[in-house]
Amino acid sequence: MATSLGANTYNRQNWEDADFPILCQTCLGENPYIRMTKEKYGKECKICARPFTVFRWCPGTRMRFKKTEVCQTCSKMKNVCQTCLLDLEYGLPIQVRDTGLNVKDEVPKSDVNKEYYTQNMEREIANTDGTRPVGLLGKAPSSSDMLLKLARTTPYYKRNRPHICSFWVKGECKRGEECPYRHEKPTDPDDPLADQNIKDRYYGINDPVADKLLKRASTMPRLDAPEDKAISTLYIGGLGDTVTDTELKNHFYQFGEIRTITIVQRQQCAFIQFATRQAAESAAEKSFNKLIINGRRLTVKWGRSQAARGKESIKDGVSEMGIRLDPVPGLPGAVPPPPALDEDAPANYFNLDPGTSSVMNISLPPPPGINPPPPGFGPPMFHPMGHMAPPMPPPMGMRPPGHIHYPSQDPQRMGAHAAHGARHGD
């Protein structure tokens, strides 16, 4: 698309002629000494279709060559990199950034409206110093907790790796180690990340990378404020031996007046009580999952009142710190409480039928190979099954008071009749 300066082209005054591209740190590469080629009006912008200056460079060793894809006007309107179209501040897709800042996309998609909107935005960009976003993005809040959690803090240089060698996938690559492409197994073609469109990313719709990040944000832990408005205390855990109350005060005083700071050295935790509930909520929101002091990541939670602490300690599946624990599979459940006993009813320790007698005479047949003793030689060891079997003497505890049973008084004992008759003069 290169054109001479004397060529008569339509609307040529709006073509872009830049000296340096707008790039993120990842696309620029880790090499501080980079060689870059510049081609004036080399291609048309993939968003507004206007010719622009194309820059091409290699971000590092064993990396693929990269080039700018959109013009600088489209890049400034969305505050994105000209190559990867990710936000320059957070390193996130446009759809994720607009969702976190509650900004709705207003860029028209038809050719005529797009040209008119672009001209108006160029006029607005010319009136600024170029360091701040324009349009609705410049009026949006400065930051968002979700964006700060999802933002990439370091460059991700693996994104600049070469593409996969299609000849190697088919088993036909003959270059070996000299091949500039990667010899790796390709990803699943059904993977949503394998189908990405540059226009969908720019307009913030149907971006699979953004959908993945938004799902991750929805599952991230949150710190909800307790319903009791009287609670204005925060629990700070994981202090170790290096964090002092002065360092805690230096961090938390910015959110409001601090009433007390109590450090429990044995448990390596602290309790910070604020003078107002609003200050405690602000401190919890700004410090949850982001508090790092002396290189230690500290845990921030809400304190609990004494009444709530007593109630929560009774609940099943809740630890002492208020964290809900998942049930362990394979463990038996809680033992049910015993039924209420009636004071007038007798105790039934063996779960016997109430209709049966408290004293049971169970006659068992003799084991095989053992014959019962002949009659007259004491009580049999095993009573034969039948209604004529003599009853067993009752246990000692069930006998009436005053009656004592002696073995010599057993009428079935040998010689019992003779001794009884001689004693009475028979």
Side-chain angles (χ1 to χ4, degrees):
M1 188 90 189
T3 320
S4 63
L5 293 177
N8 186 12
T9 56
Y10 171 72
N11 205 16
R12 183 167 172 268
Q13 63 272 15
N14 291 329
W15 291 7
E16 176 192 302
D17 184 10
D19 295 329
F20 197 82
I22 302 175
L23 302 174
C24 62
Q25 184 63 35
T26 300
C27 293
L28 193 58
E30 56 183 341
N31 186 7
Y33 305 101
I34 192 171
R35 183 176 298 175
M36 188 176 294
T37 62
K38 172 184 175 182
E39 185 180 3
K40 187 179 293 186
Y41 314 135
K43 286 185 177 295
E44 67 177 15
C45 175
K46 294 185 177 180
I47 303 300
C48 65
R50 295 190 302 175
F52 73 105
T53 302
V54 178
F55 295 88
R56 188 173 182 269
W57 71 99
C58 182
T61 308
R62 303 290 297 178
M63 300 294 179
R64 72 176 187 272
F65 276 83
K66 309 193 75 172
K67 59 183 178 62
T68 52
E69 305 290 347
V70 298
C71 65
Q72 292 197 3
T73 302
C74 295
S75 172
K76 292 178 181 179
M77 286 192 302
K78 290 286 189 176
N79 193 33
V80 294
C81 173
Q82 281 187 265
T83 300
C84 63
L85 269 66
L86 296 180
D87 184 75
L88 293 173
E89 183 177 357
Y90 301 103
L92 299 173
I94 297 176
Q95 183 177 350
V96 178
R97 182 200 63 191
D98 293 350
T99 303
L101 298 178
N102 295 326
V103 176
K104 294 184 179 180
D105 179 64
E106 59 176 8
V107 178
K109 297 178 179 58
S110 62
D111 295 338
V112 178
N113 292 336
K114 188 191 306 180
E115 185 69 25
Y116 176 75
Y117 178 81
T118 304
Q119 291 179 1
N120 292 336
M121 294 304 297
E122 283 182 340
R123 194 178 300 111
E124 184 177 350
I125 292 173
N127 296 330
T128 61
D129 56 357
T131 59
R132 296 289 301 170
V134 295
L136 289 179
L137 187 60
K139 303 176 183 178
S142 58
S143 63
S144 170
D145 289 340
M146 183 188 74
L147 298 181
L148 293 176
K149 294 176 183 178
L150 295 177
R152 185 178 292 277
T153 56
T154 57
Y156 184 65
Y157 295 120
K158 287 186 178 181
R159 203 169 62 207
N160 301 330
R161 293 182 300 173
H163 296 294
I164 294 177
C165 179
S166 59
F167 288 90
W168 182 84
V169 174
K170 295 182 291 185
E172 300 176 358
C173 183
K174 299 179 181 179
R175 295 184 179 183
E177 295 181 356
E178 297 179 357
C179 182
Y181 298 96
R182 282 188 295 157
H183 288 183
E184 296 180 5
K185 182 179 179 181
T187 57
D188 186 5
D190 297 332
D191 188 2
L193 299 179
D195 185 14
Q196 301 184 28
N197 187 287
I198 189 171
K199 288 189 176 181
D200 290 344
R201 172 163 293 181
Y202 185 82
Y203 292 117
I205 54 174
N206 301 327
D207 189 355
V209 179
D211 294 339
K212 179 181 178 180
L213 292 175
L214 291 176
K215 289 181 181 179
R216 183 190 303 174
S218 62
T219 58
M220 294 179 69
R222 301 181 305 172
L223 184 62
D224 297 329
E227 298 180 357
D228 189 0
K229 298 297 181 180
I231 298 177
S232 61
T233 304
L234 295 182
Y235 165 85
I236 313 298
L239 298 181
D241 299 331
T242 59
V243 181
T244 62
D245 55 348
T246 304
E247 294 170 337
L248 292 175
K249 184 178 181 180
N250 292 338
H251 173 77
F252 284 100
Y253 84 96
Q254 57 183 322
F255 305 110
E257 181 183 354
I258 298 177
R259 186 170 296 172
T260 57
I261 296 180
T262 305
I263 294 182
V264 184
Q265 196 63 37
R266 181 179 179 182
Q267 313 235 337
Q268 294 186 351
C269 65
F271 296 91
I272 302 178
Q273 184 180 10
F274 288 87
T276 60
R277 172 61 178 261
Q278 183 179 0
E281 292 180 357
S282 177
E285 181 181 358
K286 300 294 179 59
S287 303
F288 180 66
N289 278 353
K290 298 190 291 287
L291 180 57
I292 299 177
I293 298 179
N294 289 344
R296 297 182 63 91
R297 181 176 292 274
L298 306 183
T299 304
V300 179
K301 297 178 183 178
W302 279 95
R304 291 174 295 167
S305 61
Q306 296 292 337
R309 190 179 308 172
K311 293 179 181 179
E312 291 185 5
S313 61
I314 303 176
K315 294 182 180 179
D316 296 335
V318 178
S319 65
E320 296 180 356
M321 303 304 300
I323 304 175
R324 183 164 296 279
L325 303 176
D326 297 332
V328 179
L331 294 182
V335 179
L341 298 178
D342 190 1
E343 297 180 357
D344 299 334
N348 188 5
Y349 299 105
F350 301 98
N351 296 327
L352 301 177
D353 188 5
T356 59
S357 174
S358 58
V359 179
M360 300 182 64
N361 183 18
I362 302 177
S363 299
L364 299 177
I370 299 179
N371 296 325
F377 288 91
M381 296 177 60
F382 299 94
H383 296 285
M385 298 296 292
H387 296 284
M388 301 304 294
M392 292 290 293
M396 294 294 296
M398 303 300 296
R399 293 169 187 168
H403 178 76
I404 302 177
H405 175 75
Y406 296 97
S408 61
Q409 299 178 359
D410 191 347
Q412 294 184 358
R413 180 173 175 272
M414 184 177 62
H417 294 282
H420 183 74
R423 189 174 303 166
H424 292 277
D426 293 340

